[in-house]
Amino acid sequence: MKSIAFLAATLLCTADALQPSRVVHPRQTKPRPTTEPSEAAQLNVIKSQGCYSSKGDLVLNGTTVLQSKGYCVNFCLQTLEKPVAAMSGGNQCWCGDSYPPVDSIVDDDNCNVGCISYPLEACGGVKFWSVFNTGITLDVDHSKDDDAKASGTSTENQPKPTQTTIDPPKETVIINNEAPSEEKKKTNTAGIAAGVVVAVVAVVAVAVGAWMYIRKKKNREIEEEHRRNAAVSSFMGKAPSSSGTSITDARLDPVMAQRRMSDGSIADNQDYSRRILRVTNA
């Protein structure tokens, strides 16, 4: 019996020695997404404004598998030109003009859902929003909470007090009948003098124009007379005299031809190429 028990124990030990050794690996844990701490807003710089439990007046602009802080902030900044951007649920992008209510600020640990495209970065949480200032402006207010909005709505629904309009007093116009001042007199005198000067200049201009017209007319008449004399002289074959009077042959004058010629005249009246002495009784 002892030998059988010893043999069984030996076989068990040998079987355990032949089995491969088991390696125990430690459990790997996923890294937790990080949330940026809240900072003061700065122009042209993206700054985190913390984690909120309310969306306030923010508007959802859809979900995407490319969700990340940079993607959502750039969409709100460049496409919509909004000063506030927020992420929620890991894939939602929200934009607006104001932060959520101040009372909805919570601890950053609540925004613990990683972005789809970058899990190491927190994109809000389940019903929590990671809010950022896009850097457009520093003048961004917090929206009112639901209680304030409700009270404001009830106030708006209340009847407004009656407004009474009071007409302003009428103005009285006073007409001053005082004599004109020295400056006005000087102005009138200068105006009269200027008018007289203009009238004199106009009269002189008219007189000069009339004189030039008459002179031009006389010159035209003299030129016309000279032109006629030149035409007659050209027809007669002699040049016109400088005095402006034409010299004609007496033998061509019919009056002179009818006068009685003296007995001593030369009878060559048919020859007009030579000068003939004629004696007549006046």
Side-chain angles (χ1 to χ4, degrees):
M1 292 294 294
K2 291 181 179 180
S3 60
I4 295 173
F6 179 76
L7 180 59
T10 302
L11 292 174
L12 290 174
C13 291
T14 303
D16 292 335
L18 294 176
Q19 291 181 357
S21 58
R22 295 180 181 179
V23 178
V24 179
H25 297 281
R27 180 177 295 178
Q28 295 180 356
T29 58
K30 294 182 179 179
R32 185 175 181 179
T34 58
T35 302
E36 296 183 13
S38 178
E39 296 179 297
Q42 184 177 350
L43 288 176
N44 301 323
V45 179
I46 301 171
K47 292 293 183 180
S48 173
Q49 301 301 309
C51 185
Y52 292 77
S53 60
S54 172
K55 62 181 177 59
D57 294 334
L58 298 176
V59 178
L60 178 64
N61 291 282
T63 60
T64 177
V65 295
L66 302 176
Q67 179 70 311
S68 66
K69 181 192 76 173
Y71 178 86
C72 182
V73 171
N74 288 331
F75 179 82
C76 296
L77 173 62
Q78 299 178 3
T79 304
L80 303 180
E81 296 183 355
K82 296 294 183 180
V84 180
M87 289 82 71
S88 179
N91 63 346
Q92 298 177 0
C93 181
W94 301 71
C95 302
D97 296 315
S98 60
Y99 303 129
V102 178
D103 297 339
S104 63
I105 298 176
V106 296
D107 190 83
D108 292 340
D109 293 338
N110 293 287
C111 294
N112 52 12
V113 178
C115 301
I116 293 180
S117 63
Y118 190 63
L120 297 179
E121 192 172 58
C123 283
V126 179
K127 295 185 179 180
F128 290 96
W129 287 261
S130 297
V131 181
F132 292 86
N133 184 296
T134 61
I136 294 179
T137 179
L138 304 180
D139 187 14
V140 182
D141 297 328
H142 291 271
S143 60
K144 297 180 181 180
D145 54 12
D146 296 338
D147 295 337
K149 291 181 180 179
S151 61
T153 303
S154 60
T155 304
E156 292 177 357
N157 293 330
Q158 294 179 358
K160 296 182 179 180
T162 304
Q163 296 181 355
T164 304
T165 304
I166 301 175
D167 296 333
K170 297 181 179 180
E171 297 181 357
T172 303
V173 179
I174 300 175
I175 301 175
N176 189 3
N177 294 325
E178 295 180 359
S181 60
E182 294 296 332
E183 294 182 357
K184 292 182 178 180
K185 291 182 179 180
K186 292 180 180 179
T187 303
N188 295 335
T189 303
I192 294 172
V196 172
V197 172
V198 172
V200 171
V201 172
V203 171
V204 172
V206 172
V208 172
W211 176 77
M212 292 181 66
Y213 174 76
I214 295 172
R215 182 179 177 183
K216 187 175 181 180
K217 185 176 181 181
K218 289 183 177 180
N219 292 337
R220 190 181 297 110
E221 292 176 355
I222 293 173
E223 291 177 357
E224 187 66 22
E225 183 179 0
H226 180 72
R227 191 180 297 108
R228 287 197 301 268
N229 294 336
V232 172
S233 299
S234 177
F235 178 78
M236 297 299 299
K238 294 183 179 180
S241 63
S242 58
S243 61
T245 59
S246 61
I247 301 176
T248 59
D249 191 351
R251 292 172 294 179
L252 298 178
D253 190 355
V255 176
M256 295 297 296
Q258 292 177 3
R259 290 182 181 181
R260 183 176 62 84
M261 301 178 63
S262 62
D263 295 335
S265 299
I266 301 174
D268 56 352
N269 54 355
Q270 299 298 325
D271 187 5
Y272 290 96
S273 61
R274 294 178 299 171
R275 293 182 178 271
I276 299 174
L277 178 63
R278 291 178 183 274
V279 179
T280 60
N281 294 324

